[in-house]
């Protein structure tokens, strides 16, 4: 597999300021790297990405994507970032560590590790809201980027494909919402158990002190 | 405001079997009830529904929706339901109580109360997966239904409008995902506090017994 041109690699780490990448300056996936483009077309159709697309629809979407790369340790997306968040990435090579400091912990907690075929940042693409998690390149990453501007062009020029992409993306976000719903259910149960333990310990303390 | 024809009212409660409504037998919103259709067109554009649509796009979508009604106490969607889940409802009149028994509680917990302009069941429309919560009519409900078949027709005949509807729906689901993410963060914090309390109580017990 050929690689992304060296001048387009991102080496931003957490200490750098969050300079948004200028996606328009990146090569279109289909123009500069046919091998990576072919990988993107295939990967966009894996169950981890958006399996409901036909090969032709997938190729149409990839023609609107741009290539980028990240050095190991580089921050791909930063939790809470509010600038230029309107894009998603399809991971082509390497592994991405998804981390959060949500919940008030000081050390970031690794939520998941994502590999080729995974899509990251889909929610930002849709509404440009602050990033909900930090994504760090665990290894050398090559990725295809779809920006909001490119999505709007795709919908304008190929509305059927745009609509199908949106159905697929929406199903992905729904799956994540179902998973977090189950997680919340689990936590509520766990908290009930902990509360029962607290009540029992308090009772023991009272009993002990009465004796 | 005129009402949904009486033969199309649903009175299903939790004790009935989950007979799926045959949406194709319901009147198209624009044909049988122009007043309700006008309300639907307006409500689809409220911030609680899918504000990004133009009045023309909203009217186009409503022309693919069908009207239905639910008596007070009727179950509109049932948590875990796997049959014929491929539709969403836009609430036109009345209030819907969203409940779950997730988390192992025996009594259903009310998650939220939704009124006119709210969309329920969007996730089922997309992937037909089991319903994640129970929705009960708190009062007399009139609603406009969009089924998966109608969505497919909408995308085939008006792909631009279909794509825009999907972007709007996807933004809604993303908002919900962000909210549950914050909820999880809050619960993790709460569990850390509870664990600290458990540890402190255990230490007190040990100290007391040592004396």
């Amino acid at each position: 597999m050929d690689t992304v041109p060296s001048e387009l690699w991102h080496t931003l780490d957490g200490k750098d300021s969050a300079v948004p990448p200028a996606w328009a300056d990146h090569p279109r996936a289909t123009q500069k790297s046919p091998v990576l483009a072919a990988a993107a077309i295939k990967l966009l159709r894996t169950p981890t990405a958006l399996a409901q697309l036909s090969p032709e629809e997938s190729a149409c979407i990839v023609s609107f994507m741009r290539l980028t790369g990240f050095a190991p340790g580089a921050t791909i997306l930063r939790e809470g970032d509010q600038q230029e968040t309107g894009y998603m990435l399809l991971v082509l090579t390497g592994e991405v560590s998804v981390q959060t400091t949500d919940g008030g912990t000081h050390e970031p907690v690794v939520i998941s590790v994502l590999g080729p075929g995974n899509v990251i940042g889909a929610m930002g693409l849709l509404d440009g809201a602050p990033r909900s998690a930090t994504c760090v390149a665990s290894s050398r990453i090559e990725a295809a980027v779809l920006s909001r501007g490119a999505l709007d062009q795709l919908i304008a020029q190929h509305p059927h494909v745009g609509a199908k992409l949106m159905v697929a993306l929406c199903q992905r976000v729904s799956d994540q919402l179902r998973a977090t719903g189950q997680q919340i259910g689990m936590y509520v149960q766990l908290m009930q158990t902990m509360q029962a333990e607290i009540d029992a310990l308090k009772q023991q303390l009272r009993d002990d002190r009465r004796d």
Side-chain angles (χ1 to χ4, degrees), chain A:
Chain A
M1 185 177 286
D2 53 357
T3 62
V4 177
S6 61
E7 67 276 18
L8 294 167
W9 280 74
H10 294 257
T11 52
L12 277 181
D13 65 22
K15 287 155 230 135
D16 292 318
S17 63
V19 179
W23 297 123
D25 296 338
H26 287 234
R28 284 199 180 255
T30 39
Q31 285 167 4
K32 278 288 170 75
S33 179
V35 178
L36 272 183
I41 292 166
K42 197 177 157 202
L43 286 170
L44 209 50
R45 300 185 62 241
T46 56
T48 46
L50 310 165
Q52 303 86 343
L53 302 165
S54 73
E56 294 72 26
E57 289 162 344
S58 180
C60 175
I61 294 164
V62 169
S63 75
F64 285 83
M65 297 177 97
R66 290 172 184 274
L67 290 177
T68 188
F70 295 86
T75 301
I76 301 169
L77 305 177
R78 190 177 293 111
E79 188 174 357
D81 204 354
Q82 301 190 22
Q83 292 191 304
E84 300 285 333
T85 58
Y87 60 89
M88 70 171 200
L89 298 104
L90 173 69
V91 181
L92 301 177
T93 63
E95 282 194 340
V96 175
S97 164
V98 185
Q99 308 170 355
T100 182
T101 52
D102 222 7
T105 55
H106 290 290
E107 284 299 304
V109 176
V110 174
I111 309 169
S112 59
V113 175
L114 304 176
N118 282 113
V119 169
I120 57 176
M123 281 160 59
L125 169 70
L126 295 165
D127 57 10
R131 298 297 187 185
S132 61
T134 292
C135 294
V136 175
S138 302
S139 59
R140 189 174 162 282
I141 299 287
E142 289 167 311
V145 173
L146 186 68
S147 69
R148 182 58 196 246
L151 174 64
D152 290 343
Q153 277 181 35
L154 171 68
I155 289 174
Q157 294 171 29
H158 306 276
H160 276 102
V161 178
K164 206 161 170 194
L165 171 65
M166 292 314 303
V167 171
L169 272 181
C170 207
Q171 286 173 342
R172 254 187 91 77
V173 180
S174 297
D175 284 347
Q176 288 175 18
L177 185 57
R178 282 211 182 75
T180 55
Q182 284 171 354
Q183 208 176 338
I184 285 176
M186 212 173 63
Y187 285 172
V188 168
Q189 247 180 318
L190 199 55
M191 284 192 290
Q192 286 170 344
T193 308
M194 290 172 93
Q195 189 56 53
E197 189 175 356
I198 288 171
D199 293 343
L201 284 166
K202 282 182 175 169
Q203 187 59 46
Q204 274 183 42
L205 260 180
R206 277 194 297 272
D207 291 349
D208 276 14
R209 287 175 181 179
R210 196 175 302 135
D211 296 338

